Amino acid sequence: MVIKSFLFLLIFFLSSAFGAHHLTPNASSLLAGIEIPNHPSFNGVSSSSDCDYSSPEKSETLRTPGGADSDFDQTKPSVKLHLKHRSAGQTPVAAKDSLVNSAVSDLTRIQTLHKRILEKKPRKTMNRPKKTDVSHDGKLKPAEAEPPTLAEETYAGKLMGTLKSGVTLGSGEYFMDVFIGTPPKHYSLILDTGSDLNWIQCTPCYDCFEQTGPHYDPNQSSSYRNISCNDRRCSLVTSPDPPRPCKPESESQSCPYFYWYGDSSNTTGDFATETFTVNLTTNVDGVKQHHQEVKVENVMFGCGHWNRGLFHGAAGLLGLGRGPLSFASQLQSLYGHSFSYCLVDRNSNSSVSSKLIFGEDKDLLKQPHLNFTALIGGKEAPVDVFYYVHIKSVIVAGETLDIPENTWNLTSDGFGGTIIDSGTTLSYFADPAYNIIKKSFMEKVKRFPLVNDFPILEPCYNVSGIPDYKNDLPSFGILFNDGAVWNFPVENYFIKLEPEEVVCLAVLGTPRSALSIIGNYQQQNFHIMYDTKTSRLGFAPTRCADV
């Protein structure tokens, strides 16, 4: 009954997202492929950690320029943040409910991304901050209704924060602990490379979803500043409909924003700036670590008073997309044009943590197995927020599959293409690629009996009593258009279900002309680097617990 009900939800989501005319004749097989197993062993981890916020030895303040671009020196330090699992003190969601929630969340997200591409509203951009805004002694000049700029300076150290997996809450997403306001207070935000606006639920909260912990209260922070509707930064956000008239020369009237995720998820409130506080750790002589508090001022974010959606107890969202509002873009003037993360195995011990690093990671660049593929940008990408890559084909057991190349093409009207996304759990390939991939695995796996009573993921195989089963499963890799190849370990594309000792292919399908998505499950134990200056994506096999 659960499966039938879920299939009904699935058909509804896909029909809404892509339109009935996009569903192919073999849509039933695609629909089955897009579901996630209702089984406790998938993403079934328990964890114990709290936010890592130690007493600082020193305090330092940095200021963002209030925009995505910067003319300053790109010799920047790197900052490292830790991603950890959910605290064991929180009540986990029942396994069945957790997996259904994850499945619906993935499907909703696919619908969301597709609709945002089709909408393709042109984004207004700000002019770059002028160097003349900085005085001869390197201090910032005050400017009314203008974002401050950063003096040319270097900054050493690594930033230590906390990120965690949301699997115990029924979410396949990752959460980041941040400290907002003055004095700083702790909030947990969803990390999302598929959007750019940073936002948090604010009091008064007129229509808000349930979150863990209290709402952010701007009246309790001395560093909170509303952005005026006459401020040029207000043009970076979309106004609610109908727009509220902005009084000329008004400095007290706030800038309202509305951010829509393509389904029922949305946030509406006041566009503002605030201070984000993090921990900096600097290695001394390569051994001793020196801790200090770092306050990053003037971070643009949304103070949401009306918020709806499935956000799994988070207080809001931290955007890492390519748009000018994202946290990554706003930190470019401080740490350069690259960031990276390394996600540990979801079944790893709760004491190990995933990492998020802002700035150039020299250790990663020295990695002998680091490979790069181009990020598609500019006119080729219909939405400036997503990180598009160009797939040429897929390799199974050393064989490059005969998949029509136009399956992967990104059209000018926004159909197709492939994105890499931290907010989607599994990987999804558009028809006919998915069916060709599935057929290839079924033809090549001979040693294990096929299991037919796991209808959501397929194919599934019984590996009972075979500890070395991974050696007999076909290899899997992605071939990119520029010749780069991303090969994956078995545990990144096969899910083992306990205690039945069954393994299932963790690659699913979407209708023809839809997005293909490389999700976070397939990114585990790879150090992923986003370099927006040279428009390339780096990936290196890494034991992320050791980073």
Side-chain angles (χ1 to χ4, degrees), residues 134-430:
V134 182
S135 62
H136 68 279
D137 62 357
K139 295 182 179 180
L140 295 169
K141 293 181 179 180
E144 295 184 0
E146 292 291 322
T149 58
L150 181 71
E152 294 186 18
E153 58 183 346
T154 59
Y155 189 70
K158 290 188 176 181
L159 202 71
M160 306 297 291
T162 304
L163 277 165
K164 50 192 176 264
S165 169
V167 293
T168 58
L169 299 180
S171 169
E173 298 159 321
Y174 285 83
F175 293 71
M176 177 176 173
D177 287 329
V178 297
F179 298 85
I180 301 175
T182 305
K185 294 186 178 180
H186 165 254
Y187 301 94
S188 185
L189 306 181
I190 291 176
L191 201 70
D192 187 8
T193 57
S195 61
D196 63 343
L197 179 68
N198 312 300
W199 61 270
I200 188 171
Q201 296 201 115
C202 291
T203 58
C205 230
Y206 301 112
D207 185 9
C208 293
F209 53 83
E210 183 179 353
Q211 76 174 57
T212 303
H215 296 143
Y216 165 81
D217 187 350
N219 292 323
Q220 294 183 4
S221 172
S222 61
S223 52
Y224 175 85
R225 298 289 184 273
N226 266 326
I227 292 176
S228 166
C229 60
N230 285 305
D231 192 306
R232 62 174 180 164
R233 291 171 292 181
C234 191
S235 65
L236 292 173
V237 294
T238 301
S239 298
D241 192 19
R244 186 171 62 190
C246 181
K247 298 177 182 178
E249 307 302 326
S250 173
E251 294 299 330
S252 60
Q253 186 177 346
S254 64
C255 171
Y257 77 88
F258 172 73
Y259 203 92
W260 176 67
Y261 290 93
D263 58 335
S264 61
S265 300
N266 57 75
T267 174
T268 304
D270 296 317
F271 194 38
T273 64
E274 183 54 286
T275 297
F276 282 52
T277 302
V278 289
N279 265 354
L280 181 82
T281 298
T282 306
N283 289 329
V284 179
D285 298 327
V287 180
K288 184 180 178 181
Q289 290 190 330
H290 176 71
H291 298 275
Q292 65 183 118
E293 180 183 274
V294 178
K295 297 179 183 296
V296 184
E297 295 184 339
N298 302 310
V299 175
M300 294 180 289
F301 80 115
C303 186
H305 301 294
W306 296 268
N307 314 289
R308 292 183 177 181
L310 189 62
F311 294 102
H312 303 286
L317 189 143
L318 194 76
L320 292 179
R322 299 186 80 168
L325 297 177
S326 78
F327 195 64
S329 295
Q330 293 191 61
L331 289 186
Q332 283 181 1
S333 62
L334 304 176
Y335 300 109
H337 290 255
S338 68
F339 71 92
S340 62
Y341 55 70
C342 204
L343 306 179
V344 298
D345 187 333
R346 288 174 179 271
N347 294 314
S348 61
N349 189 285
S350 60
S351 62
V352 300
S353 60
S354 300
K355 283 83 178 178
L356 171 66
I357 302 170
F358 288 101
E360 185 178 88
D361 189 312
K362 294 181 180 179
D363 292 333
L364 173 59
L365 294 176
K366 294 177 184 176
Q367 234 267 33
H369 300 293
L370 176 63
N371 205 348
F372 289 97
T373 189
L375 288 171
I376 301 175
K379 295 180 180 179
E380 298 171 288
V383 177
D384 64 355
V385 172
F386 303 143
Y387 295 98
Y388 282 93
V389 291
H390 192 171
I391 293 179
K392 183 176 182 179
S393 190
V394 167
I395 304 171
V396 177
E399 176 190 355
T400 302
L401 302 185
D402 186 17
I403 300 173
E405 290 195 19
N406 59 10
T407 304
W408 313 106
N409 289 346
L410 177 61
T411 64
S412 59
D413 56 0
F415 288 102
T418 304
I419 65 172
I420 180 166
D421 184 35
S422 69
T424 304
T425 304
L426 300 181
S427 293
Y428 295 79
F429 295 114

Side-chain angles (χ1 to χ4, degrees), residues 448-460:
F448 313 116
L450 193 66
V451 178
N452 295 316
D453 55 352
F454 285 86
I456 301 173
L457 289 178
E458 60 176 333
C460 294

